Amino acid sequence: MDSQVKTMIDIDNINKYIINLDDRKDRWNHIVQEFKYMRWDYIRFPAINTGDYHGCARSHMAVAEIGIKENLDYLLVCEDDAFFMPYAKEHLRDCLSALDNIEWDMFHLGPIIHRPLNMDRNDCLIDLSNNLPPANDNHRGILGTTAMIYKKSILLEILKWPEVFDKWENYNCMEPIDMFFSKYIYPNFKCFSGNLPIATQIRDESTVNGGQILNQHYTVTYNWKSYINKNFPNTFFDYDYCKQNRK
């Protein structure tokens, strides 16, 4: 991995791309309001529609290619069903300040945790890459691609989704991009999240999962308490409570 120069990220002034399907105007209306809440400008990226997770992966790769072409030091990529927690602004600010003191490649605002992780109570960051607790066969990994900040150092790696594993020579056998992150990106690069989920997802119909209604907000928050922080308040499991208590 190339050595990195530690520079403070100005979250308000980096490019932010929202991945949105042309036929999901409902989600577009939702995510615009979320970005207003965060006081962020944004760039819409028309999602690549394959009707399954291949389109999601190709969309993330296309945004990474934009970052490479424009020589961006940082970029934020966000899916259109993201929901920012009541403490999101303050916690993100603290996490970015902590990242300024270390080397990093990617910061995940809302991973869906399906395995134990270590939480250092003296730090606002969780390391997704190193010294992880043992996982058993029932643990699925660190999933979800709701909202992430990429540094320049990681962009070329995201483009390796089609080629990293031998079985992916067959397009139909490729795994979703979040499994690619869990199996390849996190173990090999410096990836972090906050010690609280900054973003979750709304309860909504998923195009990627064939129209299935998913309640990922509950999954993210419940699993956070199960795998990371036993003191995480149960009130945060409730999407309506979180929305009503945002500042």
Side-chain angles (χ1 to χ4, degrees):
M1 191 185 311
D2 293 337
S3 61
Q4 302 173 49
V5 177
K6 292 180 281 187
T7 57
M8 181 62 181
I9 176 173
D10 181 358
I11 189 63
D12 293 324
N13 290 307
I14 69 170
N15 286 16
K16 302 174 188 69
Y17 297 89
I18 299 174
I19 296 175
N20 171 247
L21 286 166
D22 290 339
D23 62 355
R24 292 305 303 265
K25 292 181 173 57
D26 56 330
R27 283 193 173 183
W28 179 248
N29 293 334
H30 158 77
I31 198 63
V32 166
Q33 294 305 312
E34 291 298 305
F35 269 61
K36 285 183 179 178
Y37 168 68
M38 295 300 289
R39 299 178 182 175
W40 286 345
D41 295 328
Y42 51 83
I43 302 165
R44 180 181 179 270
F45 177 83
I48 298 168
N49 189 359
T50 62
D52 59 13
Y53 60 80
H54 293 94
C56 178
R58 297 293 177 185
S59 297
H60 279 270
M61 291 170 64
V63 173
E65 287 177 330
I66 293 172
I68 294 167
K69 181 179 179 180
E70 298 188 5
N71 196 31
L72 301 177
D73 291 324
Y74 307 94
L75 65 86
L76 183 147
V77 57
C78 185
E79 296 175 354
D80 57 7
D81 61 345
F83 170 77
F84 292 98
M85 294 293 279
Y87 50 78
K89 298 174 188 177
E90 296 80 4
H91 191 41
L92 179 58
R93 180 194 62 221
D94 293 342
C95 290
L96 295 179
S97 179
L99 288 173
D100 191 41
N101 298 312
I102 60 176
E103 291 184 354
W104 62 282
D105 299 297
M106 193 198 82
F107 180 76
H108 202 318
L109 279 69
I112 306 176
I113 306 300
H114 292 280
R115 57 153 299 150
L117 295 177
N118 292 318
M119 187 180 79
D120 185 345
R121 298 185 185 278
N122 297 316
D123 192 356
C124 63
L125 298 175
I126 289 178
D127 192 335
L128 303 179
S129 304
N130 299 304
N131 302 317
L132 303 185
N136 63 38
D137 292 340
N138 295 325
H139 292 142
R140 295 168 52 207
I142 305 167
L143 307 181
T145 50
T146 304
M148 298 179 287
I149 300 173
Y150 299 140
K151 288 186 74 172
K152 182 188 295 185
S153 55
I154 202 74
L155 295 178
L156 282 172
E157 302 301 326
I158 296 167
L159 304 185
K160 294 181 180 180
W161 174 72
E163 64 187 57
V164 166
F165 301 109
D166 290 340
K167 67 178 180 179
W168 289 6
E169 292 176 359
N170 180 345
Y171 180 82
N172 291 324
C173 290
M174 292 179 181
E175 294 187 9
I177 195 167
D178 55 352
M179 289 300 298
F180 164 72
F181 273 79
S182 188
K183 293 180 179 180
Y184 172 69
I185 296 292
Y186 300 142
N188 293 296
F189 299 90
K190 294 180 173 66
C191 304
F192 297 86
S193 74
N195 64 11
L196 296 172
I198 294 169
T200 65
Q201 294 168 265
I202 57 174
R203 183 180 184 276
D204 194 20
E205 178 181 317
S206 171
T207 302
V208 171
N209 288 285
Q212 183 181 0
I213 300 293
L214 301 177
N215 189 359
Q216 296 287 44
H217 174 85
Y218 180 81
T219 301
V220 170
T221 53
Y222 179 86
N223 284 13
W224 212 272
K225 184 162 190 169
S226 299
Y227 288 117
I228 301 175
N229 183 1
K230 299 298 183 184
N231 296 319
F232 189 74
N234 289 359
T235 50
F236 287 147
F237 297 172
D238 187 334
Y239 171 84
D240 291 328
Y241 171 86
C242 291
K243 191 168 186 178
Q244 292 166 8
N245 285 274
R246 298 201 299 193
K247 297 178 182 178

